[in-house]
Amino acid sequence: MAVELSQVVPLGRSLEEYIKIFDLKAEELKLKILSLADGPASFNAELSAQGGQVLSVDPIYSFSAQEIKSRFEAILDNIIQQVKSTPQDWVWSYHQNPENLRKHRIQVMEKFSQDFEKRSHSGAYLAAELPHLDLKDSFDLALCSHFLFLYSDYFSLDFHLESIQEILKYAPELRIFPLLSLKGKISPYLEPVKKTLSQKGYTFKIKSVEYELQKGGHHMLLIRGPKFS
Ligand SMILES: C[S@@+](CC[C@H](N)C(=O)[O-])C[C@H]1O[C@@H](n2cnc3c(N)ncnc32)[C@H](O)[C@@H]1O
């Protein structure tokens, strides 16, 4: 696997955060969900415990739970310090303050790592790297939290176009959040992605959601593939 754990920021979000981020309704939580770049989110652990069906995909799943946790512990203080030193960039409607953010991320890591230890060989977690997925199954809904668009400085427009088309081979709809890059501005790829893929029959909707941590980051993009638009 090309990914080096030392380059990854393994910070994960909870089921409750995913519900807000993607505006997931109770009936949508019963769908067969493909969750890309899912990292150490506890979305899969928590939803599966309630009977949900999720396949999480991320290159970090080639590492052990302990390796992922150690990397998380090594970077957490630095991330929280960066957040504290840029108060103008954050909205605290959900996490309340940086110390609670730290607490929430630790709780999520605990849930993820316990589940990953138990179920990493059960087919719930797949070590794979966009833009290529080689999946056997199809899904009702695909989600991508805090990866596409967010890392626009590190992944090219072509990477985004290829990844979105690849994901939508396996599901009729993909939701992406946030639409901001790490610099806190709308990703420079949003409009080119919409323009290029609209010409191929993909359709797009931007929805305002209840969750905001990065200031201005409260929109998700819904994309439907050409066969389903
Ligand atoms: C900030 S984390 C987001 C984790 C989770 N989606 C969440 O919102 O809580 C970004 C994730 O992207 C993953 N990632 C990096 N390169 C990737 C690639 N080429 N394909 C899929 N995931 C990748 C990293 O391993 C990391 O777990």
Side-chain angles (χ1 to χ4, degrees):
M1 200 60 56
V3 74
E4 300 251 345
L5 203 49
S6 60
Q7 294 166 353
V8 171
V9 178
L11 284 192
R13 286 149 197 88
S14 65
L15 170 62
E16 187 177 88
E17 287 178 276
Y18 268 49
I19 288 174
K20 290 181 186 295
I21 282 171
F22 294 116
D23 192 24
L24 292 167
K25 308 291 183 219
E27 41 318 337
E28 290 173 331
L29 293 173
K30 295 181 190 143
L31 297 175
K32 200 170 158 194
I33 297 177
L34 173 63
S35 196
L36 287 314
D38 218 24
S42 58
F43 173 64
N44 192 337
E46 292 183 79
L47 189 55
S48 302
Q50 297 175 15
Q53 294 179 75
V54 183
L55 173 66
S56 296
V57 176
D58 197 296
I60 63 164
Y61 302 147
S62 58
F63 298 96
S64 68
Q66 192 47 55
E67 285 169 324
I68 297 170
K69 206 168 160 187
S70 300
R71 169 74 183 143
F72 166 78
E73 285 163 358
I75 58 150
L76 184 62
D77 281 350
N78 182 267
I79 300 274
I80 299 296
Q81 201 40 52
Q82 284 182 41
V83 168
K84 284 181 177 168
S85 64
T86 51
Q88 69 286 355
D89 293 345
W90 309 99
V91 172
W92 295 107
S93 49
Y94 183 78
H95 294 286
Q96 306 301 318
N97 57 56
E99 282 312 316
N100 260 342
L101 174 64
R102 174 206 296 274
K103 203 173 84 192
H104 292 157
R105 293 293 172 257
I106 292 171
Q107 287 166 348
V108 164
M109 175 54 75
E110 272 314 309
K111 286 184 188 156
F112 161 79
S113 57
Q114 282 174 21
D115 190 56
F116 188 71
E117 261 177 9
K118 266 194 269 155
R119 296 197 307 135
S120 61
H121 300 294
S122 72
Y125 295 93
L126 175 71
E129 210 168 329
L130 287 166
H132 303 296
L133 299 172
D134 186 14
L135 306 180
K136 311 257 172 308
D137 263 350
S138 58
F139 295 82
D140 301 315
L141 178 64
L143 306 175
C144 185
S145 160
H146 293 85
F147 177 60
L148 289 172
F149 296 128
L150 184 65
Y151 290 98
S152 292
D153 288 342
Y154 302 91
F155 294 91
S156 67
L157 173 59
D158 279 349
F159 176 89
H160 282 71
L161 290 168
E162 270 185 69
S163 295
I164 291 168
Q165 291 176 92
E166 178 75 353
I167 296 164
L168 286 168
K169 285 182 194 163
Y170 298 100
E173 180 176 311
L174 165 64
R175 299 183 189 177
I176 303 175
F177 179 96
L179 307 184
L180 304 184
S181 74
L182 286 170
K183 290 185 180 133
K185 301 270 182 264
I186 293 280
S187 162
Y189 301 146
L190 180 61
E191 285 311 315
V193 161
K194 283 169 66 183
K195 190 168 171 210
T196 307
L197 295 184
S198 296
Q199 287 162 358
K200 296 184 174 193
Y202 292 73
T203 55
F204 295 85
K205 206 183 281 176
I206 291 181
K207 225 171 153 180
S208 181
V209 296
E210 229 191 88
Y211 184 93
E212 183 176 3
L213 176 58
Q214 266 181 307
K215 191 174 266 178
H218 57 93
H219 293 96
M220 70 148 162
L221 181 66
L222 276 97
I223 313 176
R224 291 186 73 80
K227 281 193 281 177
F228 304 97
S229 293

